[in-house]
Structures are given as C-alpha cells and as structure tokens.
C-alpha cells in the first residue's frame, strides 16, 4: 500500500484545513487508516483512526470536537478535517494504514504534510 498525504499549508489561528491521504496498491488490505502528527522537537502522536470498511472513527481526547476523520472508499482516500486551528497544531501530519493482521501497528506511511498555524 502506498500513501500520499496532501493539503497542508500555512493558515491563521481559527482557520480550517482538510488533509487528504490517497491510497494506492493493495487498498483492499487496509483495515484502518490513522492520522498522526509530529511537532518540532516532539514525538509523533496519534490523533485518531478510522476503520476503512465500516467507516467508524476514533479520536484522541485532545482533538475531539475539532478534528474529523473520514474516508471515501470509491476514491481510496482518507481525510482529516481540522477546524479552529491553533498555533499548537503546527506539525508535520502523517497518514498511515494498517492491515487487520497488524493493527494497531501501522506498517504503511505517507510522506507527511506540513501544517503551520500562525497566531
């Protein structure tokens, strides 16, 4: 499975942004797609994930209410919709995918897309 993340950029605090993650290859093996982020000088953290077939999304508490994960199976694309962005959301955002056999270990990763939120 190959993943291509896109949609990052420079936004102002309070803005919204939608990231996309296009999957290619053996997409029928995807059980879950997750979104992570890594801020400068910090470890990569999980934001949430979505089950690819059922479309059930799960979130870490610190993004609940502001971030929404979705997917469009027909396009083999996952999305991370972010609202009310804050400077602390500045990070490189990654999408990742896991097969059912490896979940919750994510073996397939996109290249990351930079999100910068100015105050």
């Amino acid at each position: 499975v190959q993943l291509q993340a896109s949609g990052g950029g420079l936004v102002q605090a309070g803005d919204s942004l939608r990231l996309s993650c296009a999957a290619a290859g053996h997409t029928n093996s995807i059980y879950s797609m997750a979104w992570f982020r890594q801020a400068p000088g910090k470890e990569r953290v999980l934001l949430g994930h979505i089950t690819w077939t059922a479309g059930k999304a799960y979130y870490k508490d610190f993004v609940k209410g502001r971030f929404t994960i979705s997917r469009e199976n027909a396009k083999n694309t996952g999305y991370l919709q972010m609202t009310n962005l804050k400077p602390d959301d500045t990070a490189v955002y990654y999408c990742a995918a896991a097969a059912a056999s490896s979940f919750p270990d994510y073996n397939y990763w996109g290249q990351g897309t930079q999100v910068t939120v100015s105050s």
Side-chain angles (χ1 to χ4, degrees):
V1 176
Q2 297 84 45
L3 302 175
Q4 179 76 35
S6 62
L10 173 63
V11 298
Q12 294 187 334
D15 284 351
S16 298
L17 197 63
R18 189 179 78 162
L19 306 182
S20 300
C21 181
H26 295 287
T27 57
N28 58 356
S29 68
I30 297 175
Y31 169 74
S32 167
M33 178 177 282
W35 287 91
F36 294 77
R37 73 184 183 189
Q38 186 166 20
K42 296 187 178 180
E43 295 186 352
R44 187 163 55 192
V45 297
L46 173 68
L47 304 177
H49 76 99
I50 188 166
T51 55
W52 198 244
T53 300
K56 174 72 173 174
Y58 303 85
Y59 303 92
K60 289 294 191 181
D61 286 345
F62 64 91
V63 300
K64 282 182 181 177
R66 290 199 302 129
F67 291 6
T68 303
I69 297 173
S70 62
R71 94 283 182 251
E72 194 168 353
N73 291 115
K75 294 184 177 181
N76 288 320
T77 300
Y79 303 98
L80 175 66
Q81 176 71 48
M82 303 181 289
T83 62
N84 191 22
L85 283 163
K86 308 174 189 300
D88 285 348
D89 294 318
T90 294
V92 177
Y93 285 71
Y94 298 90
C95 58
S101 58
S102 66
F103 181 81
D105 293 327
Y106 289 87
N107 296 323
Y108 307 102
W109 291 82
Q111 83 286 7
T113 185
Q114 175 71 47
V115 174
T116 302
V117 184
S118 64
S119 57

